Amino acid sequence: MDNKLLLDGIVVAENVKEQLKKQVSGLKKLGVRPCLATILVGDDPSSETYVRMKGNACDKMEIVSKRIHLSKDITTDDLLQTIAELNEDPAVHGILLQHPVPGHIDERKAFEAIAIEKDVDGVTSLGYGQTALGFGEYPSCTPAAILEIIDFYKLETKGMHAVVVGRSPILGKPVSALLLNRNATVTTCHSHTRNLPQILKQADIVVAAVGKPNFIKGEWIKEGSIVLDAGYNKGNIGDVDYESCLHKAFAITPVPGGVGPVTISMLLKHTVQAAVKSSEIKGEATS
Ligand code: NAP
């Protein structure tokens, strides 16, 4: 590991949570407890695990976790009704619909039903548009986590060539927009991209958001690059072939212990921010 910078997501997440504790205790004095509502539809084991992890993270931070578990057989209208009730509930500050939802449900319609002020995971098209334009309050949590790591380690983005592999609405596209807003020159790659290794060879910053284990190889990347692996595949395996990329990279996130823990801390951060905002007490709570 000589001269290598290990981008430790656990350290970054702890730093975020330390800052949040002050805000949570400020809110507590004013009788406000931040609340995140999670909606799980069906019994997919991975989704159940993700929702449980998010709920447990809330518990540890004295953030109320309102867990709603709906049957896999519900209709889109049933789900919209649940979201409408949470939108109306003043005790709920953030709403997270765990995806994917069962195939018969119109997922996009459900995302769009989340009130913008409670869209703490940046899933609505309005939230995404605001992020892309540079004034979004709550970007999608994994893209926000990647930027948090960049900021914590004071990594330069201005003028850098960032290559993002993946263009999903929750990850590849918003992280490309965030990096562009930070004055990186951004190339977004996808399954139809030709000559991916040649493009990656030009990257100062590589963001892996592909969903394929060990996909990005050390021989594809440039000596001295920064490698941020958002991938999380079965068996705790990232989208980056860590061992081979470690030799070439200047800085790299591990999996596990990289982007993942910071993503959860971003969800907590956005929920607390939404609580502060809804209580119109930002000044007092953050002072
Ligand atoms: P996704 O919706 O499946 O998107 C994958 C993207 O990769 C698509 O844009 C796809 O291109 C592209 N792609 C697929 N094969 C490719 C290839 N051979 N070359 C170049 N691009 C290719 O996945 P996602 O939801 O964005 O998630 C991506 C990864 O991040 C997964 O490992 C997931 O588990 C992880 N993730 C982690 C967190 C976290 O908290 N750490 C959160 C969310 C997701 P097309 O658009 O052309 O299909």
Side-chain angles (χ1 to χ4, degrees), residues 50 99 142 165-172 189-193 196 208-212 215 229-233 237-239 259-261 263-264:
Y50 292 141
H99 60 100
T142 306
V165 188
R167 58 170 170 181
S168 72
I170 54 130
L171 187 38
C189 302
H190 46 80
S191 65
H192 301 277
T193 297
L196 181 66
V210 202
K212 292 187 190 299
F215 179 74
D229 186 357
Y232 195 72
N233 305 288
I237 298 169
D239 288 348
V259 174
T263 295
I264 294 187

PDB file of all heavy atoms in Angstrom, residues 50 99 142 165-172 189-193 196 208-212 215 229-233 237-239 259-261 263-264, ligand 1:
ATOM      1  N   TYR A  50     -31.316  -4.537   3.003  1.00  0.00           N
ATOM      2  CA  TYR A  50     -30.986  -3.114   2.831  1.00  0.00           C
ATOM      3  C   TYR A  50     -31.873  -2.245   3.719  1.00  0.00           C
ATOM      4  O   TYR A  50     -31.403  -1.312   4.375  1.00  0.00           O
ATOM      5  CB  TYR A  50     -31.155  -2.681   1.367  1.00  0.00           C
ATOM      6  CG  TYR A  50     -30.139  -3.300   0.423  1.00  0.00           C
ATOM      7  CD1 TYR A  50     -30.503  -3.727  -0.849  1.00  0.00           C
ATOM      8  CD2 TYR A  50     -28.808  -3.453   0.798  1.00  0.00           C
ATOM      9  CE1 TYR A  50     -29.575  -4.299  -1.716  1.00  0.00           C
ATOM     10  CE2 TYR A  50     -27.881  -4.024  -0.055  1.00  0.00           C
ATOM     11  CZ  TYR A  50     -28.260  -4.445  -1.311  1.00  0.00           C
ATOM     12  OH  TYR A  50     -27.354  -5.003  -2.159  1.00  0.00           O
ATOM     13  N   HIS A  99     -36.110  -0.118  -3.837  1.00  0.00           N
ATOM     14  CA  HIS A  99     -36.320  -0.695  -5.170  1.00  0.00           C
ATOM     15  C   HIS A  99     -35.304  -1.796  -5.428  1.00  0.00           C
ATOM     16  O   HIS A  99     -34.270  -1.821  -4.769  1.00  0.00           O
ATOM     17  CB  HIS A  99     -36.273   0.400  -6.257  1.00  0.00           C
ATOM     18  CG  HIS A  99     -34.970   1.135  -6.298  1.00  0.00           C
ATOM     19  ND1 HIS A  99     -33.990   0.863  -7.214  1.00  0.00           N
ATOM     20  CD2 HIS A  99     -34.483   2.104  -5.483  1.00  0.00           C
ATOM     21  CE1 HIS A  99     -32.955   1.647  -6.975  1.00  0.00           C
ATOM     22  NE2 HIS A  99     -33.225   2.399  -5.946  1.00  0.00           N
ATOM     23  N   THR A 142     -26.127   7.433  -3.226  1.00  0.00           N
ATOM     24  CA  THR A 142     -24.813   6.887  -3.613  1.00  0.00           C
ATOM     25  C   THR A 142     -23.981   7.938  -4.359  1.00  0.00           C
ATOM     26  O   THR A 142     -22.800   8.115  -4.036  1.00  0.00           O
ATOM     27  CB  THR A 142     -24.989   5.591  -4.422  1.00  0.00           C
ATOM     28  OG1 THR A 142     -25.794   4.701  -3.652  1.00  0.00           O
ATOM     29  CG2 THR A 142     -23.659   4.926  -4.690  1.00  0.00           C
ATOM     30  N   VAL A 165     -18.795   4.577 -15.312  1.00  0.00           N
ATOM     31  CA  VAL A 165     -19.256   3.402 -16.049  1.00  0.00           C
ATOM     32  C   VAL A 165     -20.610   3.002 -15.473  1.00  0.00           C
ATOM     33  O   VAL A 165     -20.690   2.497 -14.351  1.00  0.00           O
ATOM     34  CB  VAL A 165     -18.236   2.246 -15.964  1.00  0.00           C
ATOM     35  CG1 VAL A 165     -18.661   1.123 -16.917  1.00  0.00           C
ATOM     36  CG2 VAL A 165     -16.839   2.725 -16.315  1.00  0.00           C
ATOM     37  N   GLY A 166     -21.658   3.290 -16.226  1.00  0.00           N
ATOM     38  CA  GLY A 166     -23.038   3.078 -15.776  1.00  0.00           C
ATOM     39  C   GLY A 166     -23.820   4.362 -15.923  1.00  0.00           C
ATOM     40  O   GLY A 166     -23.262   5.460 -15.753  1.00  0.00           O
ATOM     41  N   ARG A 167     -25.100   4.237 -16.265  1.00  0.00           N
ATOM     42  CA  ARG A 167     -25.929   5.443 -16.476  1.00  0.00           C
ATOM     43  C   ARG A 167     -27.328   5.270 -15.872  1.00  0.00           C
ATOM     44  O   ARG A 167     -28.326   5.745 -16.428  1.00  0.00           O
ATOM     45  CB  ARG A 167     -26.043   5.749 -17.968  1.00  0.00           C
ATOM     46  CG  ARG A 167     -26.640   4.604 -18.759  1.00  0.00           C
ATOM     47  CD  ARG A 167     -26.982   4.990 -20.175  1.00  0.00           C
ATOM     48  NE  ARG A 167     -27.329   3.810 -20.942  1.00  0.00           N
ATOM     49  CZ  ARG A 167     -27.659   3.823 -22.221  1.00  0.00           C
ATOM     50  NH1 ARG A 167     -27.693   4.958 -22.878  1.00  0.00           N
ATOM     51  NH2 ARG A 167     -27.962   2.700 -22.851  1.00  0.00           N
ATOM     52  N   SER A 168     -27.407   4.556 -14.755  1.00  0.00           N
ATOM     53  CA  SER A 168     -28.727   4.362 -14.151  1.00  0.00           C
ATOM     54  C   SER A 168     -29.223   5.679 -13.555  1.00  0.00           C
ATOM     55  O   SER A 168     -28.421   6.560 -13.209  1.00  0.00           O
ATOM     56  CB  SER A 168     -28.666   3.281 -13.065  1.00  0.00           C
ATOM     57  OG  SER A 168     -27.978   3.774 -11.948  1.00  0.00           O
ATOM     58  N   PRO A 169     -30.561   5.804 -13.418  1.00  0.00           N
ATOM     59  CA  PRO A 169     -31.108   7.070 -12.893  1.00  0.00           C
ATOM     60  C   PRO A 169     -30.698   7.360 -11.453  1.00  0.00           C
ATOM     61  O   PRO A 169     -30.678   8.516 -11.039  1.00  0.00           O
ATOM     62  CB  PRO A 169     -32.628   6.857 -12.968  1.00  0.00           C
ATOM     63  CG  PRO A 169     -32.843   5.682 -13.849  1.00  0.00           C
ATOM     64  CD  PRO A 169     -31.600   4.855 -13.814  1.00  0.00           C
ATOM     65  N   ILE A 170     -30.389   6.315 -10.675  1.00  0.00           N
ATOM     66  CA  ILE A 170     -30.043   6.562  -9.267  1.00  0.00           C
ATOM     67  C   ILE A 170     -28.539   6.679  -9.050  1.00  0.00           C
ATOM     68  O   ILE A 170     -28.098   7.052  -7.977  1.00  0.00           O
ATOM     69  CB  ILE A 170     -30.569   5.442  -8.331  1.00  0.00           C
ATOM     70  CG1 ILE A 170     -30.089   4.074  -8.807  1.00  0.00           C
ATOM     71  CG2 ILE A 170     -32.056   5.504  -8.143  1.00  0.00           C
ATOM     72  CD1 ILE A 170     -29.463   3.261  -7.720  1.00  0.00           C
ATOM     73  N   LEU A 171     -27.755   6.328 -10.054  1.00  0.00           N
ATOM     74  CA  LEU A 171     -26.317   6.276  -9.790  1.00  0.00           C
ATOM     75  C   LEU A 171     -25.492   6.909 -10.917  1.00  0.00           C
ATOM     76  O   LEU A 171     -24.948   8.001 -10.751  1.00  0.00           O
ATOM     77  CB  LEU A 171     -25.933   4.801  -9.543  1.00  0.00           C
ATOM     78  CG  LEU A 171     -24.527   4.468  -9.079  1.00  0.00           C
ATOM     79  CD1 LEU A 171     -23.986   5.466  -8.098  1.00  0.00           C
ATOM     80  CD2 LEU A 171     -24.498   3.068  -8.480  1.00  0.00           C
ATOM     81  N   GLY A 172     -25.416   6.243 -12.041  1.00  0.00           N
ATOM     82  CA  GLY A 172     -24.513   6.719 -13.091  1.00  0.00           C
ATOM     83  C   GLY A 172     -24.841   8.122 -13.583  1.00  0.00           C
ATOM     84  O   GLY A 172     -23.954   8.979 -13.685  1.00  0.00           O
ATOM     85  N   CYS A 189     -20.260   6.089 -19.574  1.00  0.00           N
ATOM     86  CA  CYS A 189     -20.250   4.879 -20.413  1.00  0.00           C
ATOM     87  C   CYS A 189     -21.403   3.950 -20.018  1.00  0.00           C
ATOM     88  O   CYS A 189     -21.936   4.045 -18.914  1.00  0.00           O
ATOM     89  CB  CYS A 189     -18.921   4.138 -20.236  1.00  0.00           C
ATOM     90  SG  CYS A 189     -17.510   5.170 -20.654  1.00  0.00           S
ATOM     91  N   HIS A 190     -21.749   3.074 -20.931  1.00  0.00           N
ATOM     92  CA  HIS A 190     -22.883   2.164 -20.706  1.00  0.00           C
ATOM     93  C   HIS A 190     -22.666   0.908 -21.531  1.00  0.00           C
ATOM     94  O   HIS A 190     -21.585   0.731 -22.117  1.00  0.00           O
ATOM     95  CB  HIS A 190     -24.199   2.878 -21.049  1.00  0.00           C
ATOM     96  CG  HIS A 190     -24.130   3.615 -22.333  1.00  0.00           C
ATOM     97  ND1 HIS A 190     -24.267   2.984 -23.549  1.00  0.00           N
ATOM     98  CD2 HIS A 190     -23.859   4.920 -22.600  1.00  0.00           C
ATOM     99  CE1 HIS A 190     -24.114   3.866 -24.506  1.00  0.00           C
ATOM    100  NE2 HIS A 190     -23.862   5.056 -23.965  1.00  0.00           N
ATOM    101  N   SER A 191     -23.695   0.093 -21.615  1.00  0.00           N
ATOM    102  CA  SER A 191     -23.496  -1.219 -22.234  1.00  0.00           C
ATOM    103  C   SER A 191     -23.256  -1.145 -23.742  1.00  0.00           C
ATOM    104  O   SER A 191     -22.797  -2.115 -24.338  1.00  0.00           O
ATOM    105  CB  SER A 191     -24.696  -2.124 -21.944  1.00  0.00           C
ATOM    106  OG  SER A 191     -25.853  -1.616 -22.556  1.00  0.00           O
ATOM    107  N   HIS A 192     -23.544   0.002 -24.361  1.00  0.00           N
ATOM    108  CA  HIS A 192     -23.296   0.133 -25.808  1.00  0.00           C
ATOM    109  C   HIS A 192     -21.992   0.877 -26.096  1.00  0.00           C
ATOM    110  O   HIS A 192     -21.680   1.133 -27.269  1.00  0.00           O
ATOM    111  CB  HIS A 192     -24.463   0.877 -26.476  1.00  0.00           C
ATOM    112  CG  HIS A 192     -25.779   0.184 -26.287  1.00  0.00           C
ATOM    113  ND1 HIS A 192     -26.194  -0.861 -27.076  1.00  0.00           N
ATOM    114  CD2 HIS A 192     -26.744   0.350 -25.359  1.00  0.00           C
ATOM    115  CE1 HIS A 192     -27.374  -1.291 -26.650  1.00  0.00           C
ATOM    116  NE2 HIS A 192     -27.724  -0.573 -25.613  1.00  0.00           N
ATOM    117  N   THR A 193     -21.278   1.258 -25.046  1.00  0.00           N
ATOM    118  CA  THR A 193     -20.020   2.000 -25.243  1.00  0.00           C
ATOM    119  C   THR A 193     -18.986   1.099 -25.926  1.00  0.00           C
ATOM    120  O   THR A 193     -18.803  -0.051 -25.524  1.00  0.00           O
ATOM    121  CB  THR A 193     -19.476   2.473 -23.869  1.00  0.00           C
ATOM    122  OG1 THR A 193     -20.424   3.375 -23.314  1.00  0.00           O
ATOM    123  CG2 THR A 193     -18.129   3.151 -23.998  1.00  0.00           C
ATOM    124  N   LEU A 196     -14.351   0.458 -24.210  1.00  0.00           N
ATOM    125  CA  LEU A 196     -14.345   0.942 -22.828  1.00  0.00           C
ATOM    126  C   LEU A 196     -12.930   1.003 -22.230  1.00  0.00           C
ATOM    127  O   LEU A 196     -12.578   2.023 -21.623  1.00  0.00           O
ATOM    128  CB  LEU A 196     -15.282   0.062 -21.970  1.00  0.00           C
ATOM    129  CG  LEU A 196     -15.405   0.465 -20.515  1.00  0.00           C
ATOM    130  CD1 LEU A 196     -16.073   1.827 -20.359  1.00  0.00           C
ATOM    131  CD2 LEU A 196     -16.192  -0.581 -19.730  1.00  0.00           C
ATOM    132  N   ALA A 208     -17.137   3.372 -10.832  1.00  0.00           N
ATOM    133  CA  ALA A 208     -17.695   2.101 -11.298  1.00  0.00           C
ATOM    134  C   ALA A 208     -19.107   1.953 -10.773  1.00  0.00           C
ATOM    135  O   ALA A 208     -19.338   1.936  -9.561  1.00  0.00           O
ATOM    136  CB  ALA A 208     -16.819   0.949 -10.803  1.00  0.00           C
ATOM    137  N   ALA A 209     -20.064   1.876 -11.681  1.00  0.00           N
ATOM    138  CA  ALA A 209     -21.487   1.761 -11.313  1.00  0.00           C
ATOM    139  C   ALA A 209     -22.165   0.840 -12.323  1.00  0.00           C
ATOM    140  O   ALA A 209     -23.130   1.200 -12.973  1.00  0.00           O
ATOM    141  CB  ALA A 209     -22.133   3.148 -11.304  1.00  0.00           C
ATOM    142  N   VAL A 210     -21.619  -0.356 -12.439  1.00  0.00           N
ATOM    143  CA  VAL A 210     -22.007  -1.278 -13.511  1.00  0.00           C
ATOM    144  C   VAL A 210     -22.923  -2.408 -13.023  1.00  0.00           C
ATOM    145  O   VAL A 210     -23.794  -2.877 -13.752  1.00  0.00           O
ATOM    146  CB  VAL A 210     -20.758  -1.957 -14.135  1.00  0.00           C
ATOM    147  CG1 VAL A 210     -21.063  -2.474 -15.533  1.00  0.00           C
ATOM    148  CG2 VAL A 210     -19.567  -1.064 -14.148  1.00  0.00           C
ATOM    149  N   GLY A 211     -22.657  -2.889 -11.812  1.00  0.00           N
ATOM    150  CA  GLY A 211     -23.415  -4.039 -11.316  1.00  0.00           C
ATOM    151  C   GLY A 211     -22.876  -5.360 -11.832  1.00  0.00           C
ATOM    152  O   GLY A 211     -23.624  -6.322 -11.970  1.00  0.00           O
ATOM    153  N   LYS A 212     -21.558  -5.393 -12.115  1.00  0.00           N
ATOM    154  CA  LYS A 212     -20.917  -6.645 -12.542  1.00  0.00           C
ATOM    155  C   LYS A 212     -19.667  -6.844 -11.694  1.00  0.00           C
ATOM    156  O   LYS A 212     -18.786  -5.973 -11.685  1.00  0.00           O
ATOM    157  CB  LYS A 212     -20.530  -6.570 -14.018  1.00  0.00           C
ATOM    158  CG  LYS A 212     -21.710  -6.538 -14.988  1.00  0.00           C
ATOM    159  CD  LYS A 212     -21.194  -6.641 -16.428  1.00  0.00           C
ATOM    160  CE  LYS A 212     -22.255  -6.380 -17.460  1.00  0.00           C
ATOM    161  NZ  LYS A 212     -23.375  -7.236 -17.501  1.00  0.00           N
ATOM    162  N   PHE A 215     -15.533  -6.133 -12.545  1.00  0.00           N
ATOM    163  CA  PHE A 215     -15.617  -5.845 -13.984  1.00  0.00           C
ATOM    164  C   PHE A 215     -14.437  -5.004 -14.482  1.00  0.00           C
ATOM    165  O   PHE A 215     -13.859  -5.288 -15.537  1.00  0.00           O
ATOM    166  CB  PHE A 215     -16.945  -5.129 -14.260  1.00  0.00           C
ATOM    167  CG  PHE A 215     -17.170  -4.746 -15.683  1.00  0.00           C
ATOM    168  CD1 PHE A 215     -17.488  -5.711 -16.633  1.00  0.00           C
ATOM    169  CD2 PHE A 215     -17.071  -3.417 -16.096  1.00  0.00           C
ATOM    170  CE1 PHE A 215     -17.705  -5.362 -17.963  1.00  0.00           C
ATOM    171  CE2 PHE A 215     -17.288  -3.065 -17.418  1.00  0.00           C
ATOM    172  CZ  PHE A 215     -17.601  -4.038 -18.351  1.00  0.00           C
ATOM    173  N   ASP A 229     -15.480   2.856  -6.332  1.00  0.00           N
ATOM    174  CA  ASP A 229     -16.267   1.669  -6.706  1.00  0.00           C
ATOM    175  C   ASP A 229     -17.605   1.690  -5.977  1.00  0.00           C
ATOM    176  O   ASP A 229     -17.685   1.408  -4.780  1.00  0.00           O
ATOM    177  CB  ASP A 229     -15.466   0.412  -6.318  1.00  0.00           C
ATOM    178  CG  ASP A 229     -16.137  -0.866  -6.811  1.00  0.00           C
ATOM    179  OD1 ASP A 229     -17.236  -0.784  -7.395  1.00  0.00           O
ATOM    180  OD2 ASP A 229     -15.545  -1.951  -6.597  1.00  0.00           O
ATOM    181  N   ALA A 230     -18.683   2.024  -6.725  1.00  0.00           N
ATOM    182  CA  ALA A 230     -20.020   2.026  -6.119  1.00  0.00           C
ATOM    183  C   ALA A 230     -20.658   0.649  -6.169  1.00  0.00           C
ATOM    184  O   ALA A 230     -21.733   0.436  -5.607  1.00  0.00           O
ATOM    185  CB  ALA A 230     -20.909   3.037  -6.836  1.00  0.00           C
ATOM    186  N   GLY A 231     -20.030  -0.266  -6.847  1.00  0.00           N
ATOM    187  CA  GLY A 231     -20.634  -1.584  -7.065  1.00  0.00           C
ATOM    188  C   GLY A 231     -20.788  -2.378  -5.772  1.00  0.00           C
ATOM    189  O   GLY A 231     -19.985  -2.258  -4.849  1.00  0.00           O
ATOM    190  N   TYR A 232     -21.846  -3.132  -5.729  1.00  0.00           N
ATOM    191  CA  TYR A 232     -22.060  -4.006  -4.562  1.00  0.00           C
ATOM    192  C   TYR A 232     -22.773  -5.251  -5.052  1.00  0.00           C
ATOM    193  O   TYR A 232     -23.976  -5.238  -5.302  1.00  0.00           O
ATOM    194  CB  TYR A 232     -22.867  -3.272  -3.498  1.00  0.00           C
ATOM    195  CG  TYR A 232     -22.802  -3.961  -2.165  1.00  0.00           C
ATOM    196  CD1 TYR A 232     -21.632  -3.934  -1.404  1.00  0.00           C
ATOM    197  CD2 TYR A 232     -23.896  -4.668  -1.659  1.00  0.00           C
ATOM    198  CE1 TYR A 232     -21.549  -4.584  -0.192  1.00  0.00           C
ATOM    199  CE2 TYR A 232     -23.826  -5.319  -0.447  1.00  0.00           C
ATOM    200  CZ  TYR A 232     -22.650  -5.270   0.285  1.00  0.00           C
ATOM    201  OH  TYR A 232     -22.569  -5.920   1.481  1.00  0.00           O
ATOM    202  N   ASN A 233     -22.002  -6.291  -5.262  1.00  0.00           N
ATOM    203  CA  ASN A 233     -22.545  -7.528  -5.833  1.00  0.00           C
ATOM    204  C   ASN A 233     -22.535  -8.643  -4.789  1.00  0.00           C
ATOM    205  O   ASN A 233     -21.891  -8.527  -3.747  1.00  0.00           O
ATOM    206  CB  ASN A 233     -21.704  -7.935  -7.041  1.00  0.00           C
ATOM    207  CG  ASN A 233     -21.609  -6.814  -8.067  1.00  0.00           C
ATOM    208  OD1 ASN A 233     -22.576  -6.517  -8.751  1.00  0.00           O
ATOM    209  ND2 ASN A 233     -20.454  -6.168  -8.155  1.00  0.00           N
ATOM    210  N   ILE A 237     -18.804  -8.113  -3.228  1.00  0.00           N
ATOM    211  CA  ILE A 237     -17.805  -7.885  -4.277  1.00  0.00           C
ATOM    212  C   ILE A 237     -18.181  -6.623  -5.056  1.00  0.00           C
ATOM    213  O   ILE A 237     -19.339  -6.424  -5.435  1.00  0.00           O
ATOM    214  CB  ILE A 237     -17.735  -9.106  -5.229  1.00  0.00           C
ATOM    215  CG1 ILE A 237     -17.284 -10.335  -4.425  1.00  0.00           C
ATOM    216  CG2 ILE A 237     -16.784  -8.845  -6.397  1.00  0.00           C
ATOM    217  CD1 ILE A 237     -17.428 -11.634  -5.178  1.00  0.00           C
ATOM    218  N   GLY A 238     -17.173  -5.775  -5.292  1.00  0.00           N
ATOM    219  CA  GLY A 238     -17.410  -4.541  -6.025  1.00  0.00           C
ATOM    220  C   GLY A 238     -17.404  -4.749  -7.528  1.00  0.00           C
ATOM    221  O   GLY A 238     -17.241  -5.876  -8.024  1.00  0.00           O
ATOM    222  N   ASP A 239     -17.568  -3.633  -8.252  1.00  0.00           N
ATOM    223  CA  ASP A 239     -17.520  -3.677  -9.717  1.00  0.00           C
ATOM    224  C   ASP A 239     -16.081  -3.544 -10.227  1.00  0.00           C
ATOM    225  O   ASP A 239     -15.829  -3.679 -11.421  1.00  0.00           O
ATOM    226  CB  ASP A 239     -18.348  -2.520 -10.304  1.00  0.00           C
ATOM    227  CG  ASP A 239     -19.847  -2.738 -10.127  1.00  0.00           C
ATOM    228  OD1 ASP A 239     -20.255  -3.861  -9.764  1.00  0.00           O
ATOM    229  OD2 ASP A 239     -20.618  -1.777 -10.348  1.00  0.00           O
ATOM    230  N   VAL A 259     -17.851   2.929  -0.578  1.00  0.00           N
ATOM    231  CA  VAL A 259     -19.003   3.799  -0.875  1.00  0.00           C
ATOM    232  C   VAL A 259     -20.242   3.411  -0.050  1.00  0.00           C
ATOM    233  O   VAL A 259     -21.019   4.275   0.364  1.00  0.00           O
ATOM    234  CB  VAL A 259     -19.300   3.754  -2.401  1.00  0.00           C
ATOM    235  CG1 VAL A 259     -20.566   4.522  -2.733  1.00  0.00           C
ATOM    236  CG2 VAL A 259     -18.116   4.303  -3.193  1.00  0.00           C
ATOM    237  N   GLY A 260     -20.413   2.114   0.223  1.00  0.00           N
ATOM    238  CA  GLY A 260     -21.622   1.616   0.901  1.00  0.00           C
ATOM    239  C   GLY A 260     -21.946   2.317   2.210  1.00  0.00           C
ATOM    240  O   GLY A 260     -23.046   2.881   2.364  1.00  0.00           O
ATOM    241  N   PRO A 261     -21.016   2.305   3.193  1.00  0.00           N
ATOM    242  CA  PRO A 261     -21.353   2.956   4.470  1.00  0.00           C
ATOM    243  C   PRO A 261     -21.622   4.444   4.334  1.00  0.00           C
ATOM    244  O   PRO A 261     -22.454   4.996   5.068  1.00  0.00           O
ATOM    245  CB  PRO A 261     -20.095   2.729   5.341  1.00  0.00           C
ATOM    246  CG  PRO A 261     -19.170   1.877   4.566  1.00  0.00           C
ATOM    247  CD  PRO A 261     -19.721   1.612   3.207  1.00  0.00           C
ATOM    248  N   THR A 263     -23.025   5.847   1.777  1.00  0.00           N
ATOM    249  CA  THR A 263     -24.369   5.984   1.191  1.00  0.00           C
ATOM    250  C   THR A 263     -25.424   6.032   2.298  1.00  0.00           C
ATOM    251  O   THR A 263     -26.324   6.877   2.286  1.00  0.00           O
ATOM    252  CB  THR A 263     -24.651   4.790   0.246  1.00  0.00           C
ATOM    253  OG1 THR A 263     -23.735   4.858  -0.846  1.00  0.00           O
ATOM    254  CG2 THR A 263     -26.059   4.833  -0.301  1.00  0.00           C
ATOM    255  N   ILE A 264     -25.288   5.141   3.264  1.00  0.00           N
ATOM    256  CA  ILE A 264     -26.276   5.125   4.366  1.00  0.00           C
ATOM    257  C   ILE A 264     -26.178   6.430   5.170  1.00  0.00           C
ATOM    258  O   ILE A 264     -27.197   7.020   5.532  1.00  0.00           O
ATOM    259  CB  ILE A 264     -26.095   3.877   5.245  1.00  0.00           C
ATOM    260  CG1 ILE A 264     -26.428   2.633   4.405  1.00  0.00           C
ATOM    261  CG2 ILE A 264     -26.977   3.946   6.500  1.00  0.00           C
ATOM    262  CD1 ILE A 264     -26.458   1.322   5.143  1.00  0.00           C
TER     263      ILE A 264
HETATM  264  P1  NAP B   1     -28.144  -0.782 -13.107  1.00  0.00           P
HETATM  265  O1  NAP B   1     -29.382   0.002 -12.994  1.00  0.00           O
HETATM  266  O2  NAP B   1     -28.198  -2.224 -13.459  1.00  0.00           O
HETATM  267  O3  NAP B   1     -27.203  -0.041 -14.158  1.00  0.00           O
HETATM  268  C1  NAP B   1     -26.017  -0.621 -14.607  1.00  0.00           C
HETATM  269  C2  NAP B   1     -25.393   0.262 -15.640  1.00  0.00           C
HETATM  270  O4  NAP B   1     -24.210  -0.375 -16.103  1.00  0.00           O
HETATM  271  C3  NAP B   1     -26.299   0.492 -16.858  1.00  0.00           C
HETATM  272  O5  NAP B   1     -26.279   1.850 -17.230  1.00  0.00           O
HETATM  273  C4  NAP B   1     -25.663  -0.371 -17.938  1.00  0.00           C
HETATM  274  O6  NAP B   1     -25.780   0.150 -19.242  1.00  0.00           O
HETATM  275  C5  NAP B   1     -24.205  -0.353 -17.519  1.00  0.00           C
HETATM  276  N1  NAP B   1     -23.509  -1.519 -18.042  1.00  0.00           N
HETATM  277  C6  NAP B   1     -23.895  -2.814 -18.000  1.00  0.00           C
HETATM  278  N2  NAP B   1     -22.987  -3.589 -18.620  1.00  0.00           N
HETATM  279  C7  NAP B   1     -22.024  -2.764 -19.055  1.00  0.00           C
HETATM  280  C8  NAP B   1     -20.828  -2.971 -19.798  1.00  0.00           C
HETATM  281  N3  NAP B   1     -20.452  -4.189 -20.191  1.00  0.00           N
HETATM  282  N4  NAP B   1     -20.064  -1.905 -20.083  1.00  0.00           N
HETATM  283  C9  NAP B   1     -20.418  -0.661 -19.682  1.00  0.00           C
HETATM  284  N5  NAP B   1     -21.553  -0.410 -18.985  1.00  0.00           N
HETATM  285  C10 NAP B   1     -22.341  -1.453 -18.686  1.00  0.00           C
HETATM  286  O7  NAP B   1     -27.307  -0.715 -11.750  1.00  0.00           O
HETATM  287  P2  NAP B   1     -27.257   0.410 -10.602  1.00  0.00           P
HETATM  288  O8  NAP B   1     -28.499   0.367  -9.805  1.00  0.00           O
HETATM  289  O9  NAP B   1     -26.793   1.703 -11.151  1.00  0.00           O
HETATM  290  O10 NAP B   1     -26.107  -0.205  -9.694  1.00  0.00           O
HETATM  291  C11 NAP B   1     -24.792  -0.351 -10.176  1.00  0.00           C
HETATM  292  C12 NAP B   1     -23.940  -0.984  -9.087  1.00  0.00           C
HETATM  293  O11 NAP B   1     -23.947  -0.143  -7.941  1.00  0.00           O
HETATM  294  C13 NAP B   1     -24.471  -2.330  -8.587  1.00  0.00           C
HETATM  295  O12 NAP B   1     -23.361  -3.142  -8.237  1.00  0.00           O
HETATM  296  C14 NAP B   1     -25.264  -1.981  -7.352  1.00  0.00           C
HETATM  297  O13 NAP B   1     -25.365  -3.041  -6.434  1.00  0.00           O
HETATM  298  C15 NAP B   1     -24.427  -0.861  -6.810  1.00  0.00           C
HETATM  299  N6  NAP B   1     -25.130   0.059  -5.932  1.00  0.00           N
HETATM  300  C16 NAP B   1     -24.506   0.331  -4.780  1.00  0.00           C
HETATM  301  C17 NAP B   1     -25.073   1.194  -3.894  1.00  0.00           C
HETATM  302  C18 NAP B   1     -24.319   1.512  -2.649  1.00  0.00           C
HETATM  303  O14 NAP B   1     -24.883   2.037  -1.707  1.00  0.00           O
HETATM  304  N7  NAP B   1     -22.998   1.250  -2.622  1.00  0.00           N
HETATM  305  C19 NAP B   1     -26.307   1.787  -4.173  1.00  0.00           C
HETATM  306  C20 NAP B   1     -26.923   1.522  -5.390  1.00  0.00           C
HETATM  307  C21 NAP B   1     -26.311   0.642  -6.270  1.00  0.00           C
HETATM  308  P3  NAP B   1     -27.216   0.328 -19.997  1.00  0.00           P
HETATM  309  O15 NAP B   1     -27.820   1.559 -19.428  1.00  0.00           O
HETATM  310  O16 NAP B   1     -26.845   0.454 -21.422  1.00  0.00           O
HETATM  311  O17 NAP B   1     -28.007  -0.906 -19.678  1.00  0.00           O
END
